C-alpha cells in the first residue's frame, strides 16, 4: 500500500497498486539506449481496479490514497526513492545541503516540460510550496513545509529553501510533494478548480478520460521528464467490491488487483487454471489497520475506557480469522523490524477480566441486569464506522462480539469512501473508526499525532492532544543524530501505547495478483516493492486484448 505513496502519509483505505515508476533514463543517450533495447515490446493497456474513487487529483488537497494512486502517475516530485529506498533526483539533477544543514539547493534538470508543452521551472516549485503552505488551502501536509523560513528561485533551474533549524525529514518531504503547474493554477481555488479533474502534469502519463463511478484512463505523456514508459495506457476501474474485482480478474477484464487473504491463500492455490495465468506477490507493507476513538466524545476521553476496550479485543482472533494469519500483532505505529519500531513494547493482551475491572473503575455498572453497562443512567453504546472494505467490516464484527461480552453495545456502519471522508472524517462526526494508515519511510508522524493538526481535512481527526507527544514529535523533526532520533521515536511509541488513542489491530501484508501477460516485473521484488519499476512493465503484442474496453 510498491511504495505506498509519493505522499509522506496517506489515508490507506484499501490496497492500491501504485503504477508510478521510481527510476528511468533521463539524458538523451540513455533514451536512445532505452528505445534500442525495447523497440518492439513496449505497449499495451494495463487495467487495474480500486475500491474508492479519487475525490480529485490534487493530492496535497485530497490527502487520501485513491487520489495519490492516480496523481503519482501524472505529477513528479523533486526527489524520489529508488528500488533500494535511497533518495535520488526526480525533477532535479542534484541537490546540495549547506554545512549548517539549514539550506538545501535543488538544481532542476534542463529542458523540463509540462504535458501541454509549457516549460517546467523553479517558479512552479515555488508556486507549489506557496500553495501547500497557504492557510486557505488547508493541506494536511502543510506542517512539513511551514518550517521553511525562506524559499527562493535564483534562476529558472534553481530552487532553494532555508529552514530556521536543521529539519531531519526535509529531503523526505520534498520526495512527497507533487509539483503543480503555476501557469494553470495561479489565482485558482485548489478546492474547486476544474484542474483537479482535468490535470496537466509532467510524469509518465496524462489523463485521457474520467467517467465518474466507472474508470479513469491515462495515456503516455510524450513530454514525460523521465522518458517514455512502456505501457501505452493505464486504466483504473472503480469497483467498490473486492469480490467483483476478482470476478473481473478471472475473466481477464483486469490485469492486477490487491487480494484479500482468502483469495490469496485458498481460492487461487486451489484452482490450477488461475495459478497458470496469475502471479502472486506478498509484501509486508509500511501500513497498519487500527480502531480509532473520537477523543472529543465521551467516554473516549477517559484513558481507562480506551485501555479497557483494548484489553477486551482479541487482536490475534482478527489476524487469524479475518486475515488468515497474514498479519502481525503490533504495539507501535512503525513497520515491524525497522529501527523505528520499539522492540521493548508488547501489544495489549486479550484480557476481558482486566477490561471489566477498568470499566468498573471508570464508573460503569450494569444496574438493570440487561448485560449492557451504564454510567450516569446512559448505556455504553456507540457506533463503529468504516469504509466499504470486507476485512475491516469483518474485523468490526469480531470487535462487536468481544465488546458485548464485557457489556458494551456496538453498532457497525460501512460507508462508501467519498461520503465516509467528506461527511464523517473531515467533520469529526463519528464515535469510532476502523481504518488504516499507510506511512512514509521517515519516522516523523507529526501530521497524524500533533495537537495542532486537527483542522478539517487534517490527519489528527480523532482529536488527540498530549503535550508529551507534541514535544517528542517536535524534537524528532529537529534531531539529526540517527541514534538519538531513534530513541525519541521509541519514547513516542511507548507514550502512544500507554495513552491508547487508537487500538492497533494488525500490520498487514500487501497481497497482489498480476496477470502473467504483464512482463518486465522484478521478481523477487527489491526493498521498494513489486511496483517500483512499473514504468518498465509491458504486455507483448500477442497477449494484448483487442484494445481497451473500459467496462
Amino acid at each position: 500500500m510498491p511504495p505506498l505513496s509519493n505522499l509522506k502519509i496517506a489515508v490507506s483505505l484499501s490496497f492500491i497498486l501504485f503504477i508510478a515508476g521510481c527510476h528511468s533514463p533521463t539524458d538523451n543517450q540513455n533514451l536512445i539506449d532505452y528505445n534500442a533495447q525495447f523497440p518492439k515490446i513496449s505497449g499495451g493497456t494495463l487495467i487495474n481496479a480500486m475500491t474508492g474513487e479519487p475525490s480529485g487529483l490534487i493530492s496535497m488537497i485530497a490527502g487520501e490514497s485513491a487520489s495519490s494512486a492516480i496523481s503519482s502517475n501524472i505529477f513528479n516530485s523533486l526527489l524520489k526513492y529508488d528500488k533500494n529506498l535511497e533518495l535520488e533526483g526526480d525533477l532535479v539533477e542534484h541537490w546540495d545541503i549547506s554545512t549548517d544543514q539549514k539550506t538545501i539547493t535543488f538544481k532542476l534538470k534542463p529542458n523540463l516540460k509540462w504535458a501541454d508543452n509549457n516549460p517546467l521551472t523553479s517558479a512552479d516549485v515555488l508556486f507549489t510550496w506557496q500553495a501547500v503552505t497557504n492557510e486557505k488551502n488547508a493541506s494536511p501536509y502543510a506542517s512539513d513545509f511551514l518550517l521553511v523560513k525562506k524559499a527562493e528561485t535564483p534562476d529558472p533551474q534553481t530552487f532553494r529553501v532555508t529552514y530556521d533549524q536543521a529539519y531531519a525529514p526535509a529531503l523526505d518531504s520534498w520526495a512527497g510533494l507533487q509539483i503543480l503547474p503555476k501557469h494553470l493554477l495561479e489565482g485558482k481555488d485548489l478546492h474547486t478548480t476544474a484542474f483537479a479533474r482535468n490535470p496537466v502534469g509532467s510524469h509518465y502519463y496524462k489523463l485521457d478520460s474520467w467517467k465518474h463511478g466507472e474508470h479513469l484512463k491515462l495515456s503516455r505523456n510524450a513530454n514525460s521528464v523521465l522518458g517514455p514508459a512502456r505501457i501505452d495506457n493505464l486504466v483504473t476501474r472503480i469497483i467498490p467490491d473486492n469480490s467483483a474485482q476478482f470476478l473481473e480478474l478471472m475473466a481477464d477484464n483486469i490485469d492486477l488487483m490487491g487480494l484479500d487473504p482468502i483469495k490469496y491463500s485458498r481460492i487461487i492455490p486451489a484452482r490450477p487454471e488461475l495459478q497458470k495465468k496469475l502471479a502472486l506477490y506478498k509484501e509486508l507493507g509500511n501500513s497498519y489497520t487500527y480502531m480509532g476513538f473520537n477523543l472529543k466524545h465521551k467516554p473516549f476521553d477517559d484513558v481507562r475506557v480506551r485501555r479497557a476496550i483494548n484489553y477486551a479485543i482479541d487482536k490475534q482472533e482478527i489476524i487469524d480469522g479475518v486475515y488468515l494469519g497474514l498479519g502481525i500483532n503490533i504495539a507501535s505505529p512503525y513497520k515491524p523490524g525497522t529501527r523505528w519500531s520499539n522492540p521493548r513494547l508488547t501489544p495489549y493482551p486479550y484480557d476481558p477480566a482486566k477490561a471489566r475491572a477498568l470499566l468498573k473503575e471508570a464508573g460503569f455498572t450494569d444496574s438493570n441486569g440487561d448485560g449492557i453497562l451504564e454510567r450516569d443512567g446512559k448505556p455504553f453504546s456507540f457506533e463503529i464506522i468504516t469504509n466499504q472494505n470486507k476485512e475491516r467490516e469483518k474485523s468490526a464484527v469480531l470487535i462487536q462480539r468481544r465488546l458485548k461480552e464485557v457489556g458494551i453495545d456496538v453498532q457497525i456502519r460501512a460507508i462508501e469512501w467519498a461520503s465516509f471522508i467528506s461527511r464523517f472524517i473531515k467533520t469529526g462526526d463519528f464515535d469510532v473508526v476502523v481504518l488504516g494508515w499507510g506511512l512514509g519511510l521517515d519516522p516523523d508522524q507529526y501530521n497524524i499525532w500533533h495537537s495542532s493538526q486537527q483542522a478539517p481535512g487534517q490527519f489528527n481527526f480523532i482529536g488527540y492532544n498530549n503535550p508529551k507527544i507534541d514535544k517528542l514529535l517536535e524534537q524528532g523533526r529537529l534531531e539529526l543524530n540517527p541514534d538519538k532520533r531513534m530513541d525519541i521515536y521509541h519514547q513516542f511509541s511507548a507514550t502512544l501505547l500507554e495513552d491508547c488513542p487508537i487500538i492497533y489491530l494488525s500490520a498487514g501484508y500487501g497481497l497482489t495478483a498480476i496477470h502473467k501477460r504483464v512482463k518486465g516485473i522484478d521478481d523477487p521484488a527489491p526493498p521498494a516493492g513489486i511496483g517500483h519499476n512499473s514504468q518498465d512493465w509491458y504486455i507483448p503484442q500477442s497477449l494484448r486484448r483487442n484494445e481497451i474496453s473500459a467496462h
Side-chain angles (χ1 to χ4, degrees):
M1 298 179 106
L4 181 67
S5 174
N6 285 338
L7 294 173
K8 188 176 187 182
I9 301 174
V11 177
S12 174
L13 274 165
S14 58
F15 176 88
I16 299 174
L17 181 64
F18 283 22
I19 304 300
C22 290
H23 69 286
S24 179
T26 55
D27 60 38
N28 291 336
Q29 183 57 51
N30 281 344
L31 291 180
I32 293 170
D33 293 343
Y34 178 87
N35 291 324
Q37 185 179 358
F38 307 121
K40 296 180 180 178
I41 53 177
S42 292
T45 292
L46 185 74
I47 305 177
N48 72 338
M50 64 168 63
T51 57
E53 186 167 10
S55 57
L57 295 179
I58 304 177
S59 59
M60 71 162 68
I61 301 299
E64 36 95 347
S65 59
S67 172
S68 57
I70 303 297
S71 66
S72 59
N73 299 305
I74 297 171
F75 299 101
N76 295 88
S77 299
L78 293 184
L79 304 173
K80 61 185 176 181
Y81 285 96
D82 68 13
K83 66 179 182 180
N84 295 313
L85 298 179
E86 299 291 338
L87 281 168
E88 65 177 6
D90 195 15
L91 289 175
V92 305
E93 274 190 325
H94 60 84
W95 64 95
D96 297 303
I97 302 175
S98 63
T99 54
D100 65 3
Q101 304 282 306
K102 295 181 182 180
T103 299
I104 309 172
T105 302
F106 297 100
K107 183 65 78 171
L108 298 183
K109 296 171 182 175
N111 303 317
L112 298 178
K113 289 185 178 181
W114 294 103
D116 64 2
N117 222 33
N118 276 278
L120 191 167
T121 71
S122 58
D124 296 298
V125 185
L126 179 62
F127 168 79
T128 304
W129 172 77
Q130 291 169 335
V132 77
T133 55
N134 189 326
E135 187 174 322
K136 73 177 184 181
N137 289 328
S139 171
Y141 306 102
S143 65
D144 291 338
F145 303 97
L146 286 168
L147 296 178
V148 173
K149 178 176 67 175
K150 181 171 67 172
E152 52 190 331
T153 55
D155 60 62
Q157 305 307 122
T158 306
F159 177 67
R160 181 178 297 128
V161 288
T162 301
Y163 297 81
D164 272 324
Q165 301 181 65
Y167 176 46
L171 290 177
D172 179 81
S173 71
W174 292 106
L177 185 65
Q178 296 175 1
I179 304 304
L180 300 173
K182 176 181 178 180
H183 69 284
L184 295 175
L185 286 171
E186 190 172 26
K188 302 290 180 63
D189 184 338
L190 297 191
H191 290 276
T192 60
T193 175
F195 181 94
R197 292 191 63 88
N198 188 26
V200 173
S202 56
H203 213 335
Y204 289 116
Y205 292 92
K206 59 184 179 179
L207 181 67
D208 263 4
S209 62
W210 182 349
K211 190 168 185 180
H212 178 65
E214 294 191 17
H215 73 272
L216 297 92
K217 180 185 175 185
L218 309 185
S219 63
R220 272 200 296 213
N221 172 19
N223 287 336
S224 167
V225 301
L226 300 179
R230 291 171 69 181
I231 290 287
D232 291 321
N233 303 295
L234 301 178
V235 175
T236 299
R237 295 178 55 195
I238 311 303
I239 307 176
D241 182 69
N242 187 270
S243 295
Q245 288 187 20
F246 190 59
L247 290 174
E248 292 294 87
L249 181 71
M250 290 191 295
D252 292 344
N253 291 329
I254 62 175
D255 296 304
L256 67 156
M257 65 172 287
L259 300 174
D260 61 53
I262 291 176
K263 296 178 181 67
Y264 178 88
S265 299
R266 295 180 180 173
I267 296 178
I268 293 177
R271 298 181 60 173
E273 75 277 13
L274 295 181
Q275 292 185 60
K276 184 177 180 180
K277 68 179 182 180
L278 298 176
L280 300 182
Y281 303 92
K282 172 186 170 185
E283 302 172 295
L284 181 62
N286 202 21
S287 61
Y288 63 87
T289 302
Y290 69 93
M291 174 174 156
F293 303 103
N294 188 333
L295 301 173
K296 296 179 180 179
H297 288 191
K298 292 184 178 297
F300 307 121
D301 58 340
D302 189 331
V303 68
R304 296 170 298 182
V305 172
R306 301 196 298 268
R307 290 174 183 163
I309 293 174
N310 209 340
Y311 282 119
I313 297 173
D314 187 343
K315 272 74 75 174
Q316 196 60 48
E317 176 183 55
I318 293 172
I319 291 169
D320 293 339
V322 176
Y323 296 100
L324 303 184
L326 294 170
I328 299 173
N329 198 358
I330 58 172
S332 148
Y334 294 109
K335 183 175 180 178
T338 64
R339 65 180 291 137
W340 311 114
S341 181
N342 189 335
R344 297 185 298 276
L345 301 181
T346 56
Y348 281 68
Y350 173 55
D351 191 341
K354 195 160 189 175
R356 293 186 185 95
L358 282 166
L359 290 168
K360 183 176 181 180
E361 183 182 325
F364 286 93
T365 59
D366 182 9
S367 59
N368 59 11
D370 67 350
I372 302 301
L373 299 174
E374 307 103 31
R375 188 173 71 177
D376 301 327
K378 296 180 180 179
F380 194 172
S381 178
F382 63 84
E383 181 181 65
I384 295 175
I385 65 169
T386 190
N387 63 295
Q388 293 173 336
N389 174 299
K390 295 300 182 184
E391 286 70 46
R392 291 176 188 169
E393 292 177 47
K394 291 175 184 176
S395 298
V397 170
L398 293 179
I399 291 169
Q400 179 187 49
R401 180 163 63 87
R402 291 301 181 187
L403 293 187
K404 186 175 183 180
E405 291 174 355
V406 298
I408 302 173
D409 176 50
V410 172
Q411 295 83 46
I412 300 168
R413 183 157 43 143
I415 304 162
E416 182 272 328
W417 172 240
S419 297
F420 178 75
I421 292 295
S422 62
R423 290 180 51 202
F424 299 96
I425 298 301
K426 289 187 175 181
T427 62
D429 184 18
F430 64 89
D431 292 323
V432 172
V433 295
V434 172
L435 262 180
W437 280 118
L439 305 175
L441 298 174
D442 190 272
D444 176 34
Q445 295 190 21
Y446 184 100
N447 292 348
I448 298 177
W449 300 110
H450 196 275
S451 61
S452 66
Q453 303 299 295
Q454 296 184 37
Q458 293 186 308
F459 289 144
N460 186 358
F461 51 80
I462 64 172
Y464 186 54
N465 187 341
N466 182 328
K468 183 177 179 180
I469 288 288
D470 283 356
K471 184 176 180 181
L472 288 167
L473 290 169
E474 291 159 10
Q475 290 174 342
R477 300 180 119 195
L478 303 178
E479 180 56 66
L480 300 181
N481 181 295
D483 291 330
K484 291 181 180 179
R485 198 165 187 239
M486 180 182 71
D487 182 62
I488 289 170
Y489 289 114
H490 283 189
Q491 292 180 57
F492 158 72
S493 297
T495 304
L496 202 63
L497 186 68
E498 181 182 7
D499 212 14
C500 199
I502 65 170
I503 295 171
Y504 304 112
L505 300 179
S506 76
Y509 289 89
L511 308 172
T512 313
I514 304 179
H515 200 291
K516 290 181 180 178
R517 68 163 62 90
V518 181
K519 308 299 182 183
I521 300 171
D522 280 355
D523 189 13
I530 199 68
H532 85 94
N533 71 328
S534 54
Q535 76 281 352
D536 291 335
W537 297 0
Y538 64 96
I539 301 174
Q541 181 71 48
S542 61
L543 300 179
R544 295 176 197 167
R545 299 176 180 85
N546 289 329
E547 217 16 70
I548 164 181
S549 171
H551 300 270

